[in-house]
Amino acid sequence: ILPLVSVNQLLLLLLVLTVCAILYNKVHQVPLALRNETVDLDSPEEMEEEIPVVICAAAGRMGAAVAAISSIYSNTEANVLFYIVGLKTTIPHIRKWIENSKLKEIKFKVVEFNPMVLKGKIRQDASRPELLQPLNFVRFYLPLLIQKHEKVIYLDDDVIVQGDIQELYDTKLAPGHAAAFSDDCDLPSTHEMVRSVGMQNTYMGFLDYRKQAVRDLGISPSTCSFNPGVIVANMTEWKHQRITKQLEKWMQRNVEENLYSSTLGGGVATSPMLIVFHGKYSSINPMWHIRHLGWSPDARYSEQFLQEAKLLHWNGRYKPWDYPSVHTDLWENWFIPDPSGKFKLTRPDS
């Protein structure tokens, strides 16, 4: 009998130890999603930070947003959350495109932009009517669209990213600055391009200095402008300084007084930002915003220079999904065809 009792006791002891081991694992187990990372559960700041990236998906240019998202996602290990902003009519198309392509792995939220917020704030006489599209003004309303993030990246849709977006997100903003931009005079290698296509890169190109309200700003017309197609923004400062309200004020004044220069159609969305952020913005690394690729159908940068660039921007009329345009091969590397067939590239043989 004694050996039998001993065996039963031993089995009972083993059972108790097994249950204890299971319970211990349940309590101390790292969640599956974090299993491959070194995580100190007592230090939340060591968990991977989410990088919010805002991109608009406009009718007729959704392929641009797709290529931009594809390039960002393919070149980073960071935890990126895409905020894809569209109008009510375009949202189903972009959602279907993402969910039925290799982009279905991305983390994204679709945000509807209500164009009624722009009522009475836009003049209808710009030389480039496409710049009056409501989504061109999404960047003015970032805190209304993005609620839970302290720091946000905004990108125009006509960009591709060749570097790790984490680098751009790590851009340091000086105390009291609500945003960082790229200065239009920041890179000597782009100056020749600017001269060759007759571009303006000063405030004179965006504001009408014949108007008293513009002269009263006290900003020299030769002051270098900046490009708001790539923005790293601090939401706390943006709200604290009521940036959106300030931008709306200058939009309304332009409706009443026609303050923007007619030499540059891009002034519609850029001009109010140049006024509101004058002398109060931080700088983005110049290689993180190589622009003007869309200003001429034949003016080109050197291939070596473009290979070194972290972000390419086809600002201007000549877009890489249309024809004619330059450096389209770099853009097409990241383009994903529309599963519905609605969006098609325009090419000389198409």
Side-chain angles (χ1 to χ4, degrees), residues 100-168:
N100 291 285
S101 72
K102 63 183 181 183
L103 289 181
K104 61 179 177 286
E105 304 296 329
I106 70 169
K107 284 171 61 179
F108 74 101
K109 291 183 179 178
V110 175
V111 181
E112 182 184 337
F113 182 67
N114 184 353
M116 289 306 292
V117 299
L118 301 172
K119 193 171 182 185
K121 301 185 183 81
I122 304 174
R123 288 184 69 89
Q124 295 301 313
D125 57 353
S127 59
R128 289 177 59 194
E130 75 272 17
L131 294 170
L132 297 175
Q133 296 300 321
L135 295 181
N136 205 31
F137 299 90
V138 161
R139 70 197 93 191
F140 290 13
Y141 296 95
L142 292 176
L144 302 181
L145 300 166
I146 314 300
Q147 303 294 338
K148 64 173 185 168
H149 302 281
E150 168 76 6
K151 198 176 188 183
V152 171
I153 294 173
Y154 166 88
L155 299 176
D156 275 354
D157 60 1
D158 51 357
V159 308
I160 61 157
V161 173
Q162 301 185 136
D164 185 342
I165 199 76
Q166 181 78 52
E167 280 182 43
L168 181 60

Side-chain angles (χ1 to χ4, degrees), residues 60-72:
R61 350 182 355 142
M62 284 191 202
V66 166
I69 291 166
S70 168
S71 70
I72 294 164

Side-chain angles (χ1 to χ4, degrees), residues 66-92:
V66 166
I69 291 166
S70 168
S71 70
I72 294 164
Y73 180 65
S74 302
N75 286 308
T76 189
E77 295 294 321
N79 180 21
V80 180
L81 173 59
F82 293 98
Y83 283 86
I84 302 168
V85 186
L87 301 180
K88 192 171 188 176
T89 51
T90 60
I91 283 173

Side-chain angles (χ1 to χ4, degrees), residues 175-191:
H177 285 179
F181 305 100
S182 282
D183 204 292
D184 282 329
C185 307
D186 59 8
L187 209 57
S189 47
T190 65
H191 293 176

